[in-house]
Amino acid sequence: MSKPNERAVQRRWDWDYPIIARADGIYLWDTNGKRYIDGSGGSSVVTSVGHGVVEIPAAMLEQAEDYSFYPARVFSNARLLELADLLAGIAPGELRDDCKVWMTVTGSESTDDAARLARQYWVERGELQKHIIIGRWQAFHGDNIFSVSMSGLTVRRRMYTPMFRDMPKIPPAFCYRCYFEGTYPECGLRCARALEDSICQAGHENVAAFIAEPIVGSALAAAPAPDGYFQIIRQICDKYDVLFIADEVMTALGRTGRMWGIEHWDVTPDIIALSKSLTCGYFPVAAVIARDEIWETLRRGDGHFRAGHTMNASAVGMAAAIATISYVREHGLVENARVVGDYFLEQLRSLLEYSTIGDVRGKGMLVGFEFVADKDSKAPFDPALSISRAFSALTFERGLVTYPCSGTVRGVAGDTILMAPPLITTKAQIDEIVAILHDSMAAFEEQVL
Ligand SMILES: Cc1ncc(COP(=O)(O)O)c(C=O)c1O
């Protein structure tokens, strides 16, 4: 058998990939028998229910024995209808039982299709100019070309900039490094009000939607917006006839201690993109949920949503999603994420004792911390040092998978670690994770100081 990157291309050529042998609960084993804690839930936030949940492959097998693929252009499948009803029944706020659900395969496709839906909605309503999707700097909405153009993560955008139609960006809601140098709440949430400036400058007649992650995942390592932020965003969107797309690819289905990330602000988006926790990696499935009126406008107009991929709404994937959501609800995992997540954040704050840790943040089981070269000035490390990668390699050596991110400082510097263990994680397992982080920090500071 060839080695990684000899025949099978994997992301990096500078990493010696061990071969994974098996996984159970929060643990992974490689073929040498070494055990790792899945501290970032798959590559980032995927495995909420944990590994080895037999109910999910059993549901997939049962479905696959009847049929796997079906021509979705001319048939529907019962699992799709069941999943749509299930999601509508748990959708947040005013979307509850007043929405429709569109299936796709990856998170990038769900944000891309959310943008297409916003565009088609306005076209159907005769607002032919509305095409701009405003995003935020230091946001990540996926890796296909349009998702990258809506995203504000400079390190991932640069190479492709000439290929996309760029979309306007407003500053993120990021109190640790506030773009306006304000302090919450005296700041008056200038970061939210910036949306009004951007809409007016672009011309509201041109703006179709605003997209944001309720809690910024990989770009800012679990940075929640302050209280009141999304309420202002909602008011501004309503004032200018702009749809609000919540990118819940990371935050949906319990990750943050509520079923939906946006529920922390008690605000209803018009459109939601979700993926990862929908099947927790047992099968690739993603979805777009939107207000019924949006879809009904399409039905009355073109009668056809102008999007779609061959593998959408796979019956096997639908069975996996139904089994996953049922598992989350039956095992009280949203509540566990809240309780154990609070404990995790509390324990993680002990990292602030190190001179190279400037901030610890997050909500529920989506938490992160940020490295600084100088605590007072918050100066980042030189990006050439790839500090977050170096730290992540140290935790990996010690049997803990962490997710290194960068770009908190103007998208080009600023190292962070995102942590998102499965929602089944216990407090004792959090202690084990935090102990490895401390051990890795000691080794790290020896290297860099
Ligand atoms: C917030 C957010 N949106 C979209 C995506 C894209 O999802 P996928 O990698 O499944 O295409 C990601 C992936 O990490 C994400 O974190």
Side-chain angles (χ1 to χ4, degrees):
M1 197 163 43
S2 61
K3 290 189 177 152
N5 282 325
E6 272 179 10
R7 292 277 178 275
V9 177
Q10 296 199 237
R11 282 199 186 182
R12 304 182 64 90
W13 270 264
D14 61 354
W15 182 257
D16 195 12
Y17 291 87
I19 307 284
I20 186 99
R22 66 188 183 91
D24 188 24
I26 71 160
Y27 301 107
L28 309 155
W29 285 265
D30 68 19
T31 45
N32 295 320
K34 180 170 171 181
R35 193 196 78 168
Y36 306 81
I37 297 176
D38 191 349
S40 66
S43 66
S44 58
V45 189
V46 179
T47 323
S48 293
V49 296
H51 300 276
V53 173
V54 292
E55 290 88 334
I56 301 173
M60 289 162 62
L61 178 64
E62 195 186 330
Q63 175 56 49
E65 281 173 345
D66 287 345
Y67 61 90
S68 295
F69 184 77
Y70 69 101
R73 196 178 63 76
V74 286
F75 291 102
S76 188
N77 84 74
R79 293 275 169 268
L80 164 63
L81 310 185
E82 190 183 340
L83 177 61
D85 288 346
L86 184 56
L87 284 168
I90 59 170
E94 290 152 31
L95 286 173
R96 177 86 39 101
D97 291 322
D98 191 25
C99 61
K100 297 192 204 303
V101 181
W102 163 257
M103 302 312 305
T104 178
V105 180
T106 68
S108 304
E109 286 161 358
S110 67
T111 55
D112 193 83
D113 284 359
R116 284 163 181 261
L117 178 60
R119 167 68 183 154
Q120 193 175 341
Y121 170 72
W122 291 117
V123 170
E124 301 294 0
R125 290 192 45 170
E127 303 263 6
L128 303 188
Q129 277 307 314
K130 279 188 170 290
H131 68 287
I132 292 174
I133 313 287
I134 298 178
R136 300 189 297 180
W137 290 113
Q138 281 116 327
F140 183 65
H141 301 300
D143 238 351
N144 61 27
I145 293 293
F146 189 70
S147 303
V148 176
S149 79
M150 291 191 291
S151 299
L153 193 51
T154 307
V155 281
R156 290 179 90 147
R157 286 164 49 88
R158 270 199 182 135
M159 182 183 298
Y160 304 104
T161 310
M163 294 172 71
F164 49 66
R165 175 112 189 248
D166 211 355
M167 293 285 146
K169 309 279 180 298
I170 63 169
F174 184 31
C175 295
Y176 180 62
R177 294 185 185 278
C178 174
Y179 271 55
F180 303 96
E181 298 183 0
T183 307
Y184 180 79
E186 295 77 36
C187 60
L189 288 165
R190 186 76 194 81
C191 53
R193 298 186 194 287
L195 178 60
E196 186 159 16
D197 299 334
S198 184
I199 292 173
C200 293
Q201 277 164 353
H204 71 90
E205 67 283 6
N206 296 314
V207 182
F210 169 67
I211 184 165
E213 298 158 81
I215 297 167
V216 182
S218 58
L220 289 176
D227 289 346
Y229 177 86
F230 281 108
Q231 288 86 336
I232 295 176
I233 293 291
R234 183 70 265 181
Q235 283 163 12
I236 295 170
C237 286
D238 289 345
K239 182 171 171 189
Y240 293 101
D241 275 343
V242 168
L243 299 177
F244 169 32
I245 304 171
D247 178 351
E248 294 246 14
V249 169
M250 276 218 181
T251 49
L253 304 177
R255 170 56 58 191
T256 68
R258 303 289 298 264
M259 187 59 92
W260 304 90
I262 199 65
E263 285 178 322
H264 291 284
W265 290 267
D266 210 9
V267 155
T268 307
D270 299 294
I271 304 177
I272 295 176
L274 68 152
S275 177
K276 301 188 191 273
S277 298
L278 190 47
T279 48
C280 292
Y282 285 79
F283 201 86
V285 176
V288 176
I289 302 176
R291 273 196 291 115
D292 210 40
E293 184 259 333
I294 294 178
W295 297 108
E296 287 299 323
T297 302
L298 268 60
R299 187 210 295 260
R300 285 194 300 272
D302 186 276
H304 179 180
F305 178 32
R306 299 279 163 186
H309 300 278
T310 312
M311 299 297 177
N312 282 3
S314 139
V316 175
M318 302 301 96
I322 294 163
T324 306
I325 297 171
S326 306
Y327 192 91
V328 167
R329 297 173 90 189
E330 280 160 22
H331 292 79
L333 296 188
V334 182
E335 178 64 3
N336 201 58
R338 188 181 65 75
V339 174
V340 181
D342 282 352
Y343 178 76
F344 194 8
L345 192 60
E346 203 179 295
Q347 299 308 305
L348 213 55
R349 290 212 170 95
S350 62
L351 296 181
L352 288 167
E353 74 195 35
Y354 297 96
S355 65
T356 54
I357 299 294
D359 192 36
V360 169
R361 51 188 176 246
K363 255 195 206 313
M365 215 67 115
L366 186 67
V367 298
F369 50 95
E370 178 154 353
F371 295 97
V372 283
D374 182 272
K375 224 173 187 145
D376 295 331
S377 68
K378 301 182 184 174
F381 281 97
D382 177 352
L385 296 174
S386 296
I387 287 294
S388 52
R389 274 187 201 290
F391 180 78
S392 199
L394 290 172
T395 70
F396 194 70
E397 265 170 46
R398 290 161 176 74
L400 172 66
V401 181
T402 51
Y403 196 71
C405 319
S406 58
T408 57
V409 182
R410 301 194 181 105
V412 292
D415 290 281
T416 49
I417 296 289
L418 181 68
M419 302 286 304
L423 308 187
I424 54 166
T425 308
T426 62
K427 288 184 179 175
Q429 289 168 327
I430 292 292
D431 291 343
E432 203 181 341
I433 291 172
V434 173
I436 299 176
L437 290 174
H438 275 285
D439 193 37
S440 308
M441 276 307 300
F444 170 76
E445 291 213 328
E446 221 163 87
Q447 279 178 15
V448 299
L449 294 183

